[in-house]
Amino acid sequence: VSTQSTWGLNPELKRPGMSTREELVFMAKISEQTERFEDMIDYIKKIVANNADLSVEERNLLSVAYKNSVGSRRTAWRALRSIEQKEEAKGSKHLNLLREYKKKIEAELNSICQDILNLLDASLIKSASNNEGKVFFLKMKGDYFRYISEFAQGEQLSRASENALQAYKAASEAATKDLKTTDPIRLGLALNFSVFYYEVMNEPTKACSMAKQAFDDAIADIEHLDEDKYKAVSYTHLRAHETPEHLVCRLLLE
Protein backbone atom coordinates (compact mmCIF):
# COMPACT_ATOMS: atom_id res chain seq x y z
CA VAL A 1 0.00 0.00 0.00
CA SER A 2 1.39 3.39 -0.94
CA THR A 3 2.03 6.03 1.68
CA GLN A 4 -0.55 8.30 0.09
CA SER A 5 -3.31 5.67 0.20
CA THR A 6 -2.47 4.89 3.82
CA TRP A 7 -3.09 8.56 4.70
CA GLY A 8 -6.46 8.38 3.02
CA LEU A 9 -7.52 5.19 4.76
CA ASN A 10 -6.36 6.08 8.28
CA PRO A 11 -6.87 9.65 9.52
CA GLU A 12 -4.75 8.82 12.57
CA LEU A 13 -1.65 8.65 10.39
CA LYS A 14 -0.16 12.07 9.84
CA ARG A 15 1.82 13.45 6.94
CA PRO A 16 5.53 13.97 7.67
CA GLY A 17 6.03 17.24 9.47
CA MET A 18 2.48 17.41 10.83
CA SER A 19 2.12 17.36 14.63
CA THR A 20 -0.24 15.53 16.89
CA ARG A 21 -2.48 17.52 19.23
CA GLU A 22 -0.25 16.56 22.15
CA GLU A 23 2.83 17.83 20.32
CA LEU A 24 1.11 21.10 19.45
CA VAL A 25 0.14 21.63 23.10
CA PHE A 26 3.72 20.87 24.14
CA MET A 27 5.12 23.37 21.65
CA ALA A 28 2.60 26.00 22.71
CA LYS A 29 3.90 25.63 26.28
CA ILE A 30 7.50 25.88 25.10
CA SER A 31 6.60 29.03 23.16
CA GLU A 32 5.07 30.49 26.31
CA GLN A 33 8.15 29.70 28.38
CA THR A 34 10.39 31.34 25.79
CA GLU A 35 7.98 34.27 25.40
CA ARG A 36 7.46 33.58 21.70
CA PHE A 37 3.79 34.44 21.81
CA GLU A 38 3.22 34.77 18.06
CA ASP A 39 4.57 31.21 17.68
CA MET A 40 2.29 30.17 20.51
CA ILE A 41 -0.67 31.59 18.62
CA ASP A 42 0.28 29.58 15.53
CA TYR A 43 0.38 26.31 17.49
CA ILE A 44 -2.95 27.01 19.17
CA LYS A 45 -4.59 27.89 15.85
CA LYS A 46 -3.48 24.52 14.48
CA ILE A 47 -5.18 22.85 17.45
CA VAL A 48 -8.36 24.83 16.82
CA ALA A 49 -8.30 23.93 13.12
CA ASN A 50 -8.24 20.24 14.08
CA ASN A 51 -10.98 20.49 16.72
CA ALA A 52 -12.35 23.78 18.03
CA ASP A 53 -13.77 22.19 21.20
CA LEU A 54 -10.79 23.01 23.42
CA SER A 55 -9.91 21.46 26.75
CA VAL A 56 -9.48 23.75 29.77
CA GLU A 57 -5.71 23.59 29.34
CA GLU A 58 -5.90 24.42 25.63
CA ARG A 59 -8.37 27.21 26.30
CA ASN A 60 -6.02 28.78 28.83
CA LEU A 61 -3.08 28.49 26.43
CA LEU A 62 -5.14 30.30 23.80
CA SER A 63 -5.91 33.08 26.25
CA VAL A 64 -2.28 33.45 27.35
CA ALA A 65 -1.01 33.52 23.76
CA TYR A 66 -3.27 36.33 22.58
CA LYS A 67 -3.22 38.25 25.86
CA ASN A 68 0.56 38.49 25.86
CA SER A 69 0.81 39.20 22.15
CA VAL A 70 -1.62 42.08 22.41
CA GLY A 71 -0.42 43.12 25.87
CA SER A 72 3.04 44.31 24.84
CA ARG A 73 1.49 46.41 22.08
CA ARG A 74 -1.14 47.90 24.41
CA THR A 75 1.69 48.94 26.72
CA ALA A 76 3.63 50.43 23.81
CA TRP A 77 0.56 52.32 22.58
CA ARG A 78 -0.11 53.82 25.99
CA ALA A 79 3.50 54.94 26.30
CA LEU A 80 3.40 56.50 22.83
CA ARG A 81 0.17 58.31 23.60
CA SER A 82 1.74 59.81 26.73
CA ILE A 83 4.88 60.84 24.81
CA GLU A 84 2.75 62.32 22.03
CA GLN A 85 0.84 64.49 24.50
CA LYS A 86 4.08 65.81 26.01
CA GLU A 87 5.63 66.49 22.61
CA GLU A 88 2.44 68.19 21.44
CA ALA A 89 2.55 70.52 24.44
CA LYS A 90 6.12 71.45 23.51
CA GLY A 91 5.24 72.01 19.86
CA SER A 92 7.72 69.31 18.86
CA LYS A 93 8.78 69.06 15.24
CA HIS A 94 8.76 65.25 15.57
CA LEU A 95 5.03 64.87 16.16
CA ASN A 96 4.41 63.39 12.71
CA LEU A 97 7.04 60.72 13.32
CA LEU A 98 5.45 59.80 16.63
CA ARG A 99 1.97 59.65 15.16
CA GLU A 100 3.07 57.45 12.27
CA TYR A 101 4.71 55.07 14.71
CA LYS A 102 1.57 55.04 16.86
CA LYS A 103 -0.46 54.15 13.77
CA LYS A 104 1.87 51.21 13.16
CA ILE A 105 1.23 49.90 16.69
CA GLU A 106 -2.51 50.44 16.23
CA ALA A 107 -2.46 48.42 13.01
CA GLU A 108 -0.71 45.56 14.80
CA LEU A 109 -3.19 45.73 17.67
CA ASN A 110 -6.12 45.72 15.30
CA SER A 111 -4.71 42.75 13.37
CA ILE A 112 -4.23 40.61 16.49
CA CYS A 113 -7.63 41.53 17.91
CA GLN A 114 -9.40 40.80 14.62
CA ASP A 115 -7.55 37.49 14.37
CA ILE A 116 -8.87 36.16 17.70
CA LEU A 117 -12.31 37.70 17.12
CA ASN A 118 -12.58 35.87 13.79
CA LEU A 119 -11.51 32.64 15.49
CA LEU A 120 -14.10 33.12 18.24
CA ASP A 121 -16.95 33.81 15.82
CA ALA A 122 -16.01 31.18 13.25
CA SER A 123 -15.47 28.25 15.56
CA LEU A 124 -14.66 28.63 19.25
CA ILE A 125 -17.95 29.98 20.63
CA LYS A 126 -20.23 27.63 18.69
CA SER A 127 -17.95 24.63 19.30
CA ALA A 128 -17.80 25.03 23.09
CA SER A 129 -19.19 21.82 24.55
CA ASN A 130 -20.11 23.25 27.95
CA ASN A 131 -21.46 26.48 29.41
CA GLU A 132 -18.19 27.35 31.14
CA GLY A 133 -16.39 27.32 27.81
CA LYS A 134 -19.09 29.39 26.16
CA VAL A 135 -18.88 32.07 28.86
CA PHE A 136 -15.09 32.02 28.65
CA PHE A 137 -15.11 32.67 24.90
CA LEU A 138 -17.88 35.28 25.01
CA LYS A 139 -15.87 37.10 27.67
CA MET A 140 -12.83 36.98 25.37
CA LYS A 141 -14.93 38.45 22.59
CA GLY A 142 -15.90 41.36 24.82
CA ASP A 143 -12.31 41.82 25.97
CA TYR A 144 -10.83 42.07 22.47
CA PHE A 145 -13.47 44.48 21.24
CA ARG A 146 -12.69 46.49 24.39
CA TYR A 147 -9.01 46.52 23.45
CA ILE A 148 -9.92 47.89 20.02
CA SER A 149 -11.99 50.56 21.76
CA GLU A 150 -8.88 51.78 23.56
CA PHE A 151 -7.31 53.15 20.38
CA ALA A 152 -10.17 53.32 17.85
CA GLN A 153 -11.87 56.55 16.81
CA GLY A 154 -15.10 57.54 15.09
CA GLU A 155 -17.18 54.78 13.55
CA GLN A 156 -14.68 52.06 14.45
CA LEU A 157 -14.91 53.09 18.11
CA SER A 158 -18.71 53.02 18.02
CA ARG A 159 -18.78 49.55 16.44
CA ALA A 160 -16.16 48.11 18.79
CA SER A 161 -17.88 49.53 21.88
CA GLU A 162 -21.27 48.17 20.84
CA ASN A 163 -19.84 44.76 19.97
CA ALA A 164 -18.01 44.60 23.30
CA LEU A 165 -21.20 45.54 25.15
CA GLN A 166 -23.24 42.85 23.39
CA ALA A 167 -20.59 40.18 23.97
CA TYR A 168 -20.26 41.02 27.66
CA LYS A 169 -24.05 41.02 28.05
CA ALA A 170 -24.37 37.61 26.37
CA ALA A 171 -21.57 36.23 28.54
CA SER A 172 -23.16 37.68 31.68
CA GLU A 173 -26.55 36.17 30.89
CA ALA A 174 -25.00 32.75 30.33
CA ALA A 175 -22.85 33.04 33.46
CA THR A 176 -25.77 34.08 35.65
CA LYS A 177 -27.78 31.15 34.37
CA ASP A 178 -25.15 28.41 34.43
CA LEU A 179 -22.15 29.31 36.61
CA LYS A 180 -21.86 29.68 40.37
CA THR A 181 -21.30 33.14 41.82
CA THR A 182 -17.88 31.96 43.00
CA ASP A 183 -16.77 30.61 39.63
CA PRO A 184 -13.49 32.38 38.68
CA ILE A 185 -14.65 32.76 35.06
CA ARG A 186 -17.87 34.44 36.16
CA LEU A 187 -15.93 36.72 38.50
CA GLY A 188 -13.37 37.62 35.86
CA LEU A 189 -16.19 38.41 33.47
CA ALA A 190 -17.94 40.70 35.97
CA LEU A 191 -14.74 42.57 36.70
CA ASN A 192 -13.75 42.96 33.04
CA PHE A 193 -17.27 44.13 32.24
CA SER A 194 -16.78 46.69 35.03
CA VAL A 195 -13.58 47.91 33.41
CA PHE A 196 -15.49 48.31 30.15
CA TYR A 197 -18.12 50.49 31.79
CA TYR A 198 -15.44 52.51 33.58
CA GLU A 199 -13.00 53.12 30.73
CA VAL A 200 -15.04 52.84 27.54
CA MET A 201 -18.58 53.83 28.51
CA ASN A 202 -17.36 56.38 31.09
CA GLU A 203 -19.84 55.15 33.70
CA PRO A 204 -17.75 54.77 36.88
CA THR A 205 -20.74 54.47 39.19
CA LYS A 206 -22.19 51.54 37.26
CA ALA A 207 -18.74 49.98 36.92
CA CYS A 208 -18.03 50.02 40.64
CA SER A 209 -21.56 48.86 41.46
CA MET A 210 -21.14 45.87 39.15
CA ALA A 211 -17.78 44.94 40.68
CA LYS A 212 -19.14 45.27 44.22
CA GLN A 213 -22.18 43.13 43.37
CA ALA A 214 -19.96 40.36 42.02
CA PHE A 215 -17.88 40.56 45.19
CA ASP A 216 -20.88 40.46 47.51
CA ASP A 217 -22.54 37.57 45.67
CA ALA A 218 -19.37 35.49 45.77
CA ILE A 219 -18.64 36.24 49.42
CA ALA A 220 -22.13 34.99 50.31
CA ASP A 221 -21.29 31.60 48.77
CA ILE A 222 -17.57 31.41 49.44
CA GLU A 223 -17.82 28.82 52.22
CA HIS A 224 -18.82 26.24 49.58
CA LEU A 225 -15.54 26.54 47.67
CA ASP A 226 -12.68 24.05 47.71
CA GLU A 227 -9.26 25.43 48.72
CA ASP A 228 -7.85 26.00 45.22
CA LYS A 229 -10.87 27.94 43.99
CA TYR A 230 -10.98 29.86 47.28
CA LYS A 231 -7.45 31.14 46.63
CA ALA A 232 -8.37 32.22 43.10
CA VAL A 233 -11.51 34.01 44.23
CA SER A 234 -9.78 35.66 47.18
CA TYR A 235 -7.05 37.04 44.92
CA THR A 236 -9.59 38.34 42.43
CA HIS A 237 -11.56 40.12 45.11
CA LEU A 238 -8.49 41.45 46.83
CA ARG A 239 -7.52 43.19 43.60
CA ALA A 240 -11.01 44.60 43.27
CA HIS A 241 -11.07 46.06 46.78
CA GLU A 242 -7.53 47.09 47.60
CA THR A 243 -8.09 50.74 46.63
CA PRO A 244 -10.58 53.52 47.46
CA GLU A 245 -14.01 53.28 45.86
CA HIS A 246 -13.38 55.84 43.10
CA LEU A 247 -10.30 53.94 41.83
CA VAL A 248 -11.52 50.38 42.23
CA CYS A 249 -12.19 49.74 38.55
CA ARG A 250 -8.69 50.79 37.56
CA LEU A 251 -7.29 47.75 39.31
CA LEU A 252 -9.83 45.19 38.20
CA LEU A 253 -8.73 42.27 36.06
CA GLU A 254 -7.89 43.31 32.52
Side-chain angles (χ1 to χ4, degrees):
V1 180
S2 71
T3 305
Q4 186 171 1
S5 61
T6 301
W7 289 333
L9 290 171
N10 188 352
E12 293 301 315
L13 298 177
K14 305 291 183 180
R15 293 179 184 271
M18 292 185 69
S19 302
T20 65
R21 197 176 187 92
E22 181 184 5
E23 289 170 340
L24 290 169
V25 168
F26 174 79
M27 288 307 301
K29 292 177 180 178
I30 294 299
S31 300
E32 178 185 7
Q33 291 171 31
T34 55
E35 299 187 5
R36 297 273 297 178
F37 297 110
E38 280 72 25
D39 291 344
M40 191 179 180
I41 287 174
D42 288 339
Y43 288 120
I44 294 296
K45 287 174 76 173
K46 289 177 181 177
I47 294 172
V48 173
N50 182 55
N51 182 353
D53 184 14
L54 304 185
S55 67
V56 172
E57 179 183 41
E58 293 165 349
R59 194 173 69 200
N60 289 335
L61 288 170
L62 171 89
S63 178
V64 167
Y66 279 96
K67 186 69 179 288
N68 281 280
S69 187
V70 82
S72 61
R73 291 166 173 86
R74 290 173 72 206
T75 300
W77 184 87
R78 288 168 177 166
L80 281 170
R81 182 179 61 176
S82 176
I83 294 169
E84 179 187 19
Q85 291 169 346
K86 292 175 183 176
E87 291 298 304
E88 192 172 31
K90 295 190 301 184
S92 172
K93 64 181 180 180
H94 300 305
L95 269 177
N96 286 338
L97 290 174
L98 276 172
R99 287 169 179 165
E100 285 301 313
Y101 191 49
K102 187 157 71 88
K103 286 181 181 178
K104 178 180 182 293
I105 302 301
E106 289 172 355
E108 292 178 6
L109 277 167
N110 191 64
S111 177
I112 297 168
C113 290
Q114 291 297 339
D115 188 47
I116 181 58
L117 288 168
N118 290 339
L119 205 60
L120 288 163
D121 281 339
S123 54
L124 291 170
I125 294 173
K126 63 185 179 184
S127 296
S129 59
N130 56 60
N131 294 325
E132 184 182 83
K134 182 179 179 181
V135 172
F136 184 94
F137 291 129
L138 284 169
K139 171 188 169 293
M140 278 192 77
K141 183 174 181 178
D143 289 341
Y144 283 86
F145 274 120
R146 173 165 61 89
Y147 298 155
I148 293 175
S149 298
E150 291 176 346
F151 63 84
Q153 296 180 350
E155 182 60 28
Q156 185 188 21
L157 172 59
S158 298
R159 288 196 308 268
S161 300
E162 179 61 24
N163 286 333
L165 179 62
Q166 294 308 316
Y168 280 136
K169 281 184 175 179
S172 296
E173 289 172 3
T176 300
K177 178 181 177 183
D178 299 313
L179 301 184
K180 294 180 179 179
T181 58
T182 50
D183 188 290
I185 294 176
R186 177 170 172 174
L187 287 167
L189 165 64
L191 297 179
N192 283 22
F193 201 177
S194 297
V195 171
F196 171 76
Y197 271 112
Y198 190 95
E199 295 186 343
V200 179
M201 304 299 286
N202 196 27
E203 296 185 33
T205 301
K206 184 166 186 174
C208 294
S209 174
M210 180 179 290
K212 185 177 185 302
Q213 186 65 54
F215 174 82
D216 291 343
D217 290 346
I219 286 297
D221 296 328
I222 205 166
E223 68 272 11
H224 303 302
L225 284 178
D226 58 40
E227 185 176 354
D228 289 341
K229 286 194 174 181
Y230 178 83
K231 290 178 181 177
V233 171
S234 296
Y235 174 70
T236 299
H237 288 146
L238 180 62
R239 290 199 58 188
H241 289 265
E242 64 189 1
T243 55
E245 179 85 358
H246 67 288
L247 290 178
V248 64
C249 296
R250 285 287 185 191
L251 298 182
L252 299 178
L253 297 178
E254 294 184 353

